[in-house]
Amino acid sequence: MIGFLIKSAIALVAFLAFYHFVLEREKMHQFNRFFLLFAIVFSLIVPFVSYEIVKEIPVNATNQIVVSQPVIQMQNVVEETNYKLIFLWSLYAIVTLTLALRFGRNIKNFASKIRRNPAVDFKNSKLILVEEKILPHTFLNYIFINAGDFKTQNIEPELYAHELVHVTQKHTLDILFVEFLKTIFWFNPIFLFYKKAIQLNHEFLADQEIVKTYNDVPFYQNLLLNKASGSQTIYLASNLNYLVTKKRLIMMKKRTSKNTAFLKKIAALPVAIGLVFLLCVETIAQEIKTDAGNKKTQNVLSSDKYYANTNFVFKNKGNTILVEKKYSELTEQEKKLVPPVPSLAKKSPDSQEYEGFKNSENYAVWIDGKHVPNSDLNEYEASNFVSYFNSFVHKNARSKKFPQRFQVTLFTAEGYDKAYGQNKVLDAGTITIIASEDARKSKTQKTPEKEITATVEEIDKQPEFPGGILEFYKFIGKNFKSPIEADANKVQGKFLVEFMIETDGSLSEFQVVKDLGFGVGEEAIRVLKLSPKWNPGIQNGQPVRVLYTLPITIQSEK
């Protein structure tokens, strides 16, 4: 909401400034009328428009931190009542309702005058004869005039013609539109300036028609000055005496060449384009891996050791078990269907970054998977940690215990070995893999739809979540809502979810391979179904269906 108000206000101010400094003093009032209306509509729409420009940034692949799995912390958060927000919304509702009632009452007053007073057909309008001593003014196609002046013919033809311009060009609709917006956005004074600009431009339009028709500028100027002296402006109406100032008197004699008008009209286009780029375009950094030639920094786990205690069950889509084996018994083709072993590159934080981790307002800190106070980092040096990863925490994912915007996990050599080292072993369990007989025997298979199905390891280009895998993990953490039963039982641990990434990037065939129970797996599938489309995997230049296994760790905090 704040973003909408700021962006719309910037656009409104920019257009109004351009109007006052470039357009207002030129005699092209019809264009100016629609420019002002366009400026309002554009400013209300532009905050909802977004364009993304991807900026590619080379990244050394050997130094890139790869997070193997998202960590979701399940916490019981007690939501506090925000009385300040309730007060502000209540104040807004009260003021808006008051102004809406005022707006409705004024329209009702016009309707009442139309019903109670005699009407006379006059060209494309109706003259409403009222007893009050008033100057002619217009509302929709009704012109309100004093009954006595009408009967004694004390109203000059120029005044009738002036009000008829307001009727035929439907100026009242512009005023009602901006008044409605003033009622909704009463806290934004810029709409008051727009209303004044629109009404003054209406008078320019009416004056222009009178000067063109009667061709007696001095007489018409004197007539306006005499009639407008001491007269009251009518709310919601087009008034004969509205802002009879030096601007109107000068504009009657103003001349604008066609070339000048054309150039100034064209100048409005760069303003609109500039606002689109300023308010709608967002540059997103996309990393491109580069080969630094040094692969020794990567600590790749041994699949044989990691899956030593794990059973693999291969099923077809009909859920029929094809084969069940330990990892050591799998064939080479079957091993290619096994999820890749999680890994994290070794890299110590630099001293400046490490000092930033000590700020408890910005960072929540974990060492070797255990949460610690930020002050504990004073007992270590940056070089004591062989690897780390940090992540941004969205507002709705922060808690009272962990209100920080960032979380960082650091690994000592011992902690890294336990989590990612060569001796790391996956907890005993069973992993189910959906594959046909052909899929286990060859790298790819033809499906009935003539699509190619592959696993992550065996394709030329892996599928990718928009923004990268870290953005995917942020998406999971942001949308995952721990089930009540899981909270009550303080469920924690790791589970696996499997899904297919289709050739169009959509996700399908969700399956919980290893579950923790209490609805955790079902919640993960619900979140995955909300995922935007991925960039599909590519093999031999063609998009392929890719089987993807996602490991997720639940940490339960008291």
Side-chain angles (χ1 to χ4, degrees), residues 86-151:
I86 293 175
F87 170 76
L88 292 175
W89 276 111
S90 300
L91 176 64
Y92 171 80
I94 292 171
V95 176
T96 303
L97 180 61
T98 302
L99 294 176
L101 291 174
R102 174 174 174 259
F103 183 59
R105 184 190 63 193
N106 280 281
I107 293 178
K108 184 179 179 182
N109 288 341
F110 277 112
S112 178
K113 282 185 179 181
I114 293 169
R115 287 196 309 270
R116 289 187 289 104
N117 294 287
V120 177
D121 289 332
F122 181 73
K123 297 185 178 179
N124 296 323
S125 67
K126 286 184 179 293
L127 301 178
I128 306 300
L129 308 181
V130 298
E131 297 299 325
E132 299 100 301
K133 195 66 178 176
I134 58 170
L135 277 177
H137 57 272
T138 302
F139 180 79
L140 297 176
N141 64 327
Y142 299 97
I143 301 174
F144 298 83
I145 61 175
N146 178 262
D149 290 341
F150 175 75
K151 293 175 182 177

Side-chain angles (χ1 to χ4, degrees), residues 160-171 205-206 209-210:
Y160 283 120
H162 182 280
E163 297 306 316
L164 275 174
V165 174
H166 291 313
V167 171
T168 55
Q169 296 188 8
K170 304 185 185 301
H171 291 167
L205 285 165
E209 290 299 319
I210 303 307

Side-chain angles (χ1 to χ4, degrees), residues 388-402:
Y388 73 103
F389 63 85
N390 59 64
S391 60
F392 175 76
V393 183
H394 291 270
K395 275 190 176 181
N396 62 348
R398 299 172 197 168
S399 65
K400 192 172 183 179
K401 184 175 181 180
F402 299 113

